[in-house]
């Protein structure tokens, strides 16, 4: 009888643990710190000349709002991500004074699919992005470009207290080629590719 009582108590404790497990479904909002790293390449089709591929890097921050639905241990949802991350770099080969690319910010609408993993939530996501990119050959006017692109990544979030979770993400973004023109040299700017590490907090409602 004592063994049965202990078994019953253990099963009840497990049932209670399952009933109080964090639910990652519903509306949420959060913020994050970011570190971006990427590449750009300027090519002058008239010369021809090229800076070659050069590195971009920078730190910033962002916000995210979204909604998850749950079926069993699987979650799927939609989110809007807005991030300010001045990741910049300058290429000098073929551009003696320097040609600078800066990803100032981006907004992305992304779909997400995840699975409960222990107490946490492991997920993948992909979506469409719109980035604000500054182009500036040294000595010429800086130009802003709104570039379309896409992103994809993976993430994990772990429950804390009072509806909060810790979120970590690794993502990759690829923006379309563009041109620097207007009373200056004509340059084709390509390889606008940026990776990003995101660490932040999310509140579920």
């Amino acid at each position: 009888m004592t063994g049965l009582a202990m078994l019953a108590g253990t099963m009840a404790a497990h049932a209670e643990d399952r009933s109080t497990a964090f639910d990652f479904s519903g509306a949420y909002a959060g913020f994050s710190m970011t570190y971006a790293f990427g590449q750009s390449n300027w090519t002058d089709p008239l010369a021809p000349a090229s800076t070659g591929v050069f590195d971009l890097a920078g730190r910033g921050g962002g916000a995210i709002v979204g909604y998850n639905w749950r079926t069993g241990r699987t979650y799927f949802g939609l989110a809007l991500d807005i991030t300010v991350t001045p990741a910049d770099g300058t290429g000098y080969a073929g551009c003696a004074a320097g040609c600078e690319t800066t990803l100032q910010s981006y907004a992305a609408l992304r779909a997400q699919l995840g699975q409960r993993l222990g107490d946490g939530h492991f997920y993948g996501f992909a979506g469409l992005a719109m980035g604000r990119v500054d182009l500036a050959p040294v000595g010429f006017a800086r130009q802003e470009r709104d570039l379309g692109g896409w992103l994809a990544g993976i993430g994990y979030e772990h429950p804390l207290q009072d509806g909060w979770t810790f979120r970590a993400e690794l993502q990759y973004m690829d923006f379309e080629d563009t041109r620097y023109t207007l009373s200056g040299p004509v340059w084709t700017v390509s390889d606008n590719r940026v990776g990003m590490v995101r660490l932040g907090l999310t509140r579920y409602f």
Side-chain angles (χ1 to χ4, degrees):
M1 295 295 292
T2 302
L4 289 175
M6 293 178 61
L7 178 59
T10 301
M11 293 177 63
H14 287 172
E16 182 179 356
D17 288 344
R18 286 194 298 270
S19 66
T20 58
F22 192 93
D23 186 358
F24 296 93
S25 65
Y28 62 86
F31 59 91
S32 61
M33 297 181 298
T34 65
Y35 175 72
F37 49 94
Q39 295 180 330
S40 185
N41 180 23
W42 289 53
T43 302
D44 182 354
L46 301 180
S50 174
T51 61
V53 176
F54 57 91
D55 293 334
L56 308 177
R59 295 179 175 85
I64 189 170
V65 293
Y67 194 96
N68 286 336
W69 293 266
R70 177 171 63 90
T71 173
R73 298 174 63 86
T74 301
Y75 296 88
F76 57 97
L78 293 172
L80 175 63
D81 163 20
I82 300 176
T83 298
V84 177
T85 177
D88 61 2
T90 305
Y92 294 95
C95 186
C99 289
E100 182 182 43
T101 300
T102 305
L103 173 62
Q104 293 286 6
S105 60
Y106 74 88
L109 181 63
R110 66 193 215 188
Q112 182 171 297
L113 178 64
Q115 183 79 12
R116 178 177 292 281
L117 184 64
D119 292 332
H121 175 215
F122 180 78
Y123 56 92
F125 58 89
L128 301 177
M130 180 65 71
R132 171 61 59 87
V133 177
D134 285 357
L135 306 175
V138 173
F140 293 89
R142 179 176 296 268
Q143 295 183 7
E144 294 181 346
R145 295 286 186 265
D146 292 323
L147 304 183
W150 58 271
L151 61 77
I154 57 174
Y156 175 80
E157 56 183 331
H158 195 82
L160 300 175
Q161 293 180 343
D162 300 325
W164 288 93
T165 69
F166 170 77
R167 180 186 295 252
E169 295 182 345
L170 177 63
Q171 69 184 40
Y172 172 85
M173 296 176 286
D174 193 340
F175 295 99
E176 63 186 322
D177 298 350
T178 186
R179 283 194 168 193
Y180 182 98
T181 56
L182 185 64
S183 70
V186 177
W187 289 88
T188 299
V189 185
S190 60
D191 294 330
N192 294 308
R193 303 169 182 172
V194 180
M196 184 175 291
V197 176
R198 303 167 58 96
L199 300 175
L201 298 175
T202 304
R203 177 68 162 85
Y204 281 79
F205 303 98

